Amino acid sequence: MVVGSPSHPPLGVAVLGTGPLRAELARVLLTGGRELRSRVGAALALRAATGDPAERGTWDGIDLVVDSTVTGAVLGAALGALRAGRSVVTANTALVAGHGAELAAAAQEHGGDLFFEAAVAGGVPVVRPLTQSLSGDRVRQVLGVFDPAVSDRDPAAQAAILATLAFHTRVEPSDVHAEDFPTPGPHDLAAAAALGLRLRPLTVCARVPGHPSQEDGGKDHLSVRVHPALLPAAHPLVAIERPYSAVAVEAEHAGRLMFSGRGDGPTATASALLGDLVTAARNRVHGGRAPRASYYAELPVAPVADTPTRYYLNLLVTDHAGALARVATVFAEHGVGIARVLQEHHDGAAHLILLTHRATDAALADTVDALGEAGGVLAVVTRWRVEGMHG
């Protein structure tokens, strides 16, 4: 049975880009045409764009444009297609993060659609849940694990897109605090494991409740970060290993929702692109529009110095009685609470492994500076943030 009108003319599809992802898309369009036609209600015909893709006149015979680039400069082509009334499906993370609002405005004005499920986490579906399934809920936090070894997407750009969608606030990549993921030492990994924690490269997009005493009257603000962080061993993101990626969304009513799968690679990313392509094509055949992003909340992105979190610290200290007491005094003087302590000895040196309560980055930085002046602390060997714990 063919869905929709069997007499509907074919829809022309142009695929931008080169490489394995484009080849996979072309293969599916050429070999799976009958099944896709049944799902859409019209045939999808692969066609090539001619001339300058930034100009309107080059899109004759093309209804849908699929951008298979993950990075690179394709803004002119995408805007040209949207301004010509075509629908655009893209996997380009930097394009959506840097120009999403401009592209969405062009789609709205000229009657096309903009879809970008593949621009975040490749084949892991998280854009549609945030923009549709959770559109009536209140998202509190989004945590993501995207292995940098299997992805060439910009981590800050992915975080900006997730935060924009989750919190109805325009977040730019420049708003994201990003840190490199260093090679962790075995002693730290063992100490963290003894505390029930595991290290992961983490993307954090969180709503931080305001306080009435603040100058803005207590308005919530956002914390958007990409850095190594420790998670409780029981947290579902801990089980994610390459080549998989995952996103955990915590919403006020729905609770914690997990989206995981093979993040990048031609096959997984092509799946996300094809899902958007079928939806955009159905809209052409049956009528309908893509959901529009909203920016009504306008929540400020807080500097990382003002962001509260917990910390794991590995302190190299002099091996004598009273070292722990001196460290505890410095922490108390700066309002940073110590939750747990381990004392270890490695190669003749004494190490204090501390797990703190929640404190701002600025408060912890002041504490570390004071430790250096108090004596007894020879070095701060490791400092990691801890997510997914209360207190």
Side-chain angles (χ1 to χ4, degrees):
M1 176 181 177
V2 177
V3 179
S5 171
S7 62
H8 194 284
L11 298 175
V13 180
V15 181
L16 306 181
T18 60
L21 179 54
R22 187 191 188 284
E24 177 65 13
L25 285 167
R27 184 191 68 79
V28 174
L29 288 171
L30 292 172
T31 61
R34 181 178 179 83
E35 189 171 3
L36 292 175
R37 181 176 185 271
S38 297
R39 297 177 186 180
V40 170
L44 300 179
L46 191 59
R47 293 172 181 159
T50 59
D52 182 356
E55 298 297 330
R56 297 189 186 191
T58 64
W59 301 107
D60 292 342
I62 293 172
D63 303 279
L64 307 159
V65 178
V66 182
D67 169 26
S68 68
T69 64
V70 176
T71 59
V74 293
L75 177 60
L79 279 175
L82 291 169
R83 289 168 179 166
R86 277 49 172 181
S87 293
V88 171
V89 174
T90 182
N92 194 306
T93 305
L95 176 70
V96 176
H99 305 281
E102 183 181 3
L103 293 168
Q108 177 70 23
E109 181 180 356
H110 298 283
D113 282 335
L114 174 67
F115 289 97
F116 51 90
E117 182 68 69
V120 181
V124 179
V126 65
V127 170
R128 188 168 281 113
L130 286 174
T131 56
Q132 298 182 49
S133 304
L134 294 173
S135 60
D137 211 330
R138 183 183 179 90
V139 175
R140 292 174 173 167
Q141 186 182 68
V142 179
L143 298 180
V145 170
F146 312 111
D147 193 330
V150 299
S151 177
D152 57 358
R153 301 177 190 277
D154 178 68
Q158 287 197 107
I161 296 172
L162 286 170
T164 295
L165 299 178
F167 305 116
H168 306 280
T169 295
R170 192 171 297 161
V171 177
E172 304 293 339
S174 58
D175 296 324
V176 180
H177 174 79
E179 299 174 8
D180 293 332
F181 189 86
T183 301
H187 293 151
D188 276 312
L189 292 178
L195 295 170
L197 302 170
R198 302 292 187 274
L199 186 67
R200 290 293 181 270
L202 203 64
T203 293
V204 181
C205 307
R207 179 191 294 268
V208 181
H211 192 276
S213 63
Q214 294 174 335
E215 293 182 2
D216 59 7
K219 187 174 183 178
D220 290 355
H221 59 273
L222 303 180
S223 176
V224 189
R225 299 169 271 130
V226 178
H227 51 66
L230 292 167
L231 287 169
H235 196 287
L237 287 178
V238 168
I240 304 302
E241 299 285 354
R242 66 178 64 174
Y244 294 92
S245 294
V247 179
V249 179
E250 293 188 13
E252 186 172 313
H253 303 298
R256 179 186 289 166
L257 304 171
M258 280 289 298
F259 307 92
S260 64
R262 189 178 290 272
D264 279 316
T267 303
T269 305
S271 174
L273 283 171
L274 286 164
D276 279 349
L277 176 61
V278 167
T279 303
R282 283 174 176 165
N283 287 350
R284 291 274 168 170
V285 174
H286 304 289
R289 298 296 302 278
R292 298 293 184 258
S294 60
Y295 311 110
Y296 72 90
E298 297 182 343
L299 299 177
V301 179
V304 69
D306 299 336
T307 301
T309 188
R310 300 183 71 168
Y311 293 89
Y312 164 100
L313 294 170
N314 178 351
L315 306 181
L316 178 65
V317 300
T318 55
D319 194 1
H320 70 274
L324 176 57
R326 183 175 298 179
V327 167
T329 298
V330 173
F331 272 74
E333 290 173 347
H334 289 82
V336 180
I338 297 176
R340 292 187 64 182
V341 179
L342 297 177
Q343 189 162 357
E344 300 184 344
H345 295 268
H346 296 295
D347 300 326
H351 290 258
L352 290 180
I353 308 298
L354 308 179
L355 181 63
T356 75
H357 291 295
R358 284 171 65 84
T360 65
D361 192 81
L364 189 81
D366 290 343
T367 304
V368 169
D369 289 343
L371 287 172
E373 299 173 358
V377 177
L378 304 177
V380 178
V381 179
T382 306
R383 177 170 62 180
W384 287 330
R385 294 179 180 83
V386 180
E387 298 291 338
M389 297 182 69
H390 301 290

